[in-house]
Structure formats: structure tokens, C-alpha cells
Amino acid sequence: MSNKLAFIMLDGLRYDTAISQMGYLHHLIEMGKASRFKVKSELPSLSRPLYEVLLTGTPVYKNGITSNQTVRLSHEESLFHLTNKAGLKNATASYYWVSELYNSAPFHPMTDRIQLNTEKAIQHGIFYWEDHYPDSHLFSDANFFMDQYEPDFLYVHSMNIDNDGHLFTADSKEYRNRVIAVDILLANILPKWMEAGYQIIVTADHGMNHDGQHGGTTAADRDVPLFIITDKMKHGIYEEVIPQLQIAPLACELLKIQPSSAMQKLSFPKLK
């Protein structure tokens, strides 16, 4: 396997729902092709702050992205900046807040949806701005970049699980069925990406509670899954709780690039 990485972030996916509903990913675990961990998200368990946590490996008090209303470019080095610095190609199919963090803010839907500029931190991007933008379209957007540019780092940010959680709560058939639907999308696309030599990370920013919200300190808000497909790890189900700040340095290790000086030192179990 190469050092290429596809990082898939499923917004609003609770740990326990991932365990009960994601049959394809657990098939890969049973067959010795993937690993599963539990991640404890940073606080506050809100979307934009945790996008910054996942992509820069820095805590909220340091990076200053403290709420969903903090609309500005990041002051930190993200995985997009670091892949650029290392001479690698990157791409993303993501919610528009990712563009606002790493390419330009504020986001203008009529001009900023498709961004192809290798001088920017995000070299190739397709961005959506409606939370119900279909995940099926999103993964098609991501696969376009995979086919056309063969990026070393591909970041895919799905929103439908979070949207259904807010509309129907985490304790609903709609939320659970949406998680199944995303697992089916992964079952249709991951074999191709794995065959192309990509390592895979699948995780979430935060969970979802029974009021259809997140932002607090409960396990429902903070506990999210982490699935990893790589030949650099002994696969299985592990009970270690991984700090969310470890995910960015893990991505750097899988990509074989230098992490930023602001990231924690990588201390990840089961890496070879």
C-alpha cells in the first residue's frame, strides 16, 4: 500500500450507532482488513471547532475557532497546508465551512463551489452549502477527484447523518437508517479506493443526543468511531479511547509527512 490517504469524516455519527448499523465496515474488521477505535471528541462538541481540531490537531483554546459562528481563515497549519508543503496533491469534497477555514472566507456560493487552484491550501475542492446535499452526490464529487487528480490526500466530509440527527434526533429510525445508507455508499466506493492503494480513515467530528443536538459533554455528544484501513496497523477492535487531537498526527504518519509543531506527538496504539 502507498502512503496515499482518504480521510472520510461523517458529521454527527455517534459511536454506538456506528457499531450497531455499519455492517460493511465491520465486515472489513471481521476479515482482518480494518481496525476500530473509540474517539473522545474535543470540546465544545460543535462542528466548525471540531473541523479545525481534526484538520490541524490543535485544541480550541489555541486555534480560536470556538463556535460555529467563528467565520475566518484558520491561523494553524492544516493537513492541506502540510501536504502542500511536502509537495503532495490534495483535494476535498466538503461542506463550505472547510473552504472558509482553509481557502477563503466568507464563502460565496455562486463563485466558490468549485475551486481549482494549486496556490491555495486546498488545491482541488468541491463545496456544498445545504445540509441535505445528498451524500451520494458528495461521494461522486470525491470520486471525480480520485479519478482526475489521484490526490495523495483526499478529505471527504459527509453531512446527511448530522442533518437527520437534528431533524429526527439520534433515537430515531431516520437517523439509524441514514447511518446504514452511508455504510452502503462506503461499501460501493471503498473497494475501488483500496484497490487504488489508498489508506482509509473514517471518523466523525461529534455525536448526537436524543434531543437532536450536540455541543455538550455527554458520551452521546462526544464519543465517535474511528475506523482505519492500512497495512501499517495490526487490525482488530480496540478498547483504547483515542483523544481526537491524535487524529491529525496519525494522518501525517500515514501520509509520511512532517506534522506541524503545534500537533501532539503521535502516541497511537497498534501502529507497526
Side-chain angles (χ1 to χ4, degrees):
M1 186 175 286
S2 71
N3 296 324
K4 292 184 177 183
L5 175 65
F7 187 142
I8 300 168
M9 205 282 280
L10 304 178
D11 206 296
L13 176 61
R14 283 168 58 125
Y15 178 75
D16 55 356
T17 311
I19 290 175
S20 64
Q21 305 301 321
M22 304 195 87
Y24 172 68
L25 288 179
H26 283 87
H27 161 71
L28 294 178
I29 293 169
E30 288 188 355
M31 294 296 104
K33 304 296 183 182
S35 303
R36 190 192 81 200
F37 297 88
K38 179 190 287 188
V39 170
K40 182 72 69 175
S41 86
E42 286 290 292
L43 292 172
S45 51
L46 296 170
S47 293
R48 196 187 298 248
L50 296 182
Y51 302 168
E52 176 80 337
V53 167
L54 286 167
L55 287 163
T56 70
T58 59
V60 167
Y61 83 87
K62 181 182 186 303
N63 63 49
I65 305 297
T66 57
S67 77
N68 290 341
Q69 288 72 48
T70 310
V71 181
R72 63 160 172 79
L73 284 172
S74 170
H75 298 159
E76 305 295 330
E77 280 192 304
S78 71
L79 293 172
F80 299 112
H81 294 89
L82 294 170
T83 48
N84 250 320
K85 183 186 290 187
L88 303 181
K89 291 183 289 185
N90 68 51
T92 187
S94 290
Y95 195 57
Y96 74 102
W97 289 358
V98 174
S99 173
E100 289 185 326
L101 281 167
Y102 308 113
N103 265 17
S104 62
F107 181 87
H108 300 288
M110 294 301 104
T111 59
D112 294 347
R113 171 163 164 72
I114 297 174
Q115 300 178 40
L116 305 175
N117 185 345
T118 56
E119 300 302 313
K120 294 278 193 178
I122 299 171
Q123 300 167 350
H124 311 96
I126 298 178
F127 301 96
Y128 61 97
W129 57 91
E130 294 174 332
D131 293 14
H132 59 274
Y133 183 74
D135 283 344
S136 57
H137 293 42
L138 171 78
F139 280 97
S140 178
D141 295 340
N143 193 68
F144 167 79
F145 284 136
M146 188 74 79
D147 288 343
Q148 293 297 315
Y149 297 102
E150 298 181 353
D152 300 283
F153 175 60
L154 176 66
Y155 185 69
V156 188
H157 176 190
S158 148
M159 189 62 85
N160 288 173
I161 294 170
D162 182 77
N163 189 50
D164 280 356
H166 287 304
L167 291 173
F168 305 108
T169 83
D171 188 22
S172 67
K173 66 179 181 181
E174 290 85 359
Y175 180 80
R176 290 186 288 271
N177 287 343
R178 182 63 66 184
V179 176
I180 293 173
V182 173
D183 184 70
I184 292 169
L185 286 172
L186 294 176
N188 287 326
I189 203 164
L190 287 192
K192 174 186 174 182
W193 292 2
M194 293 161 63
E195 180 67 23
Y198 280 82
Q199 304 167 101
I200 312 290
I201 287 176
V202 181
T203 191
D205 48 351
H206 53 72
M208 183 69 59
N209 66 31
H210 287 180
D211 296 326
Q213 195 50 267
H214 53 84
T217 63
T218 71
D221 291 277
R222 299 186 70 183
D223 289 355
V224 299
L226 172 63
F227 300 94
I228 305 172
I229 302 168
T230 177
D231 61 1
K232 299 169 185 173
M233 176 174 289
K234 182 179 179 181
H235 291 307
I237 294 175
Y238 299 107
E239 302 304 324
E240 289 95 337
V241 178
I242 305 299
Q244 200 168 39
L245 291 168
Q246 281 285 300
I247 293 182
L250 171 66
C252 291
E253 173 64 24
L254 296 179
L255 287 160
K256 292 301 179 188
I257 62 173
Q258 186 70 30
S260 78
S261 60
M263 290 181 185
Q264 290 183 350
K265 182 178 179 180
L266 182 64
S267 178
F268 207 93
K270 312 306 177 185
L271 278 175
K272 293 180 181 177

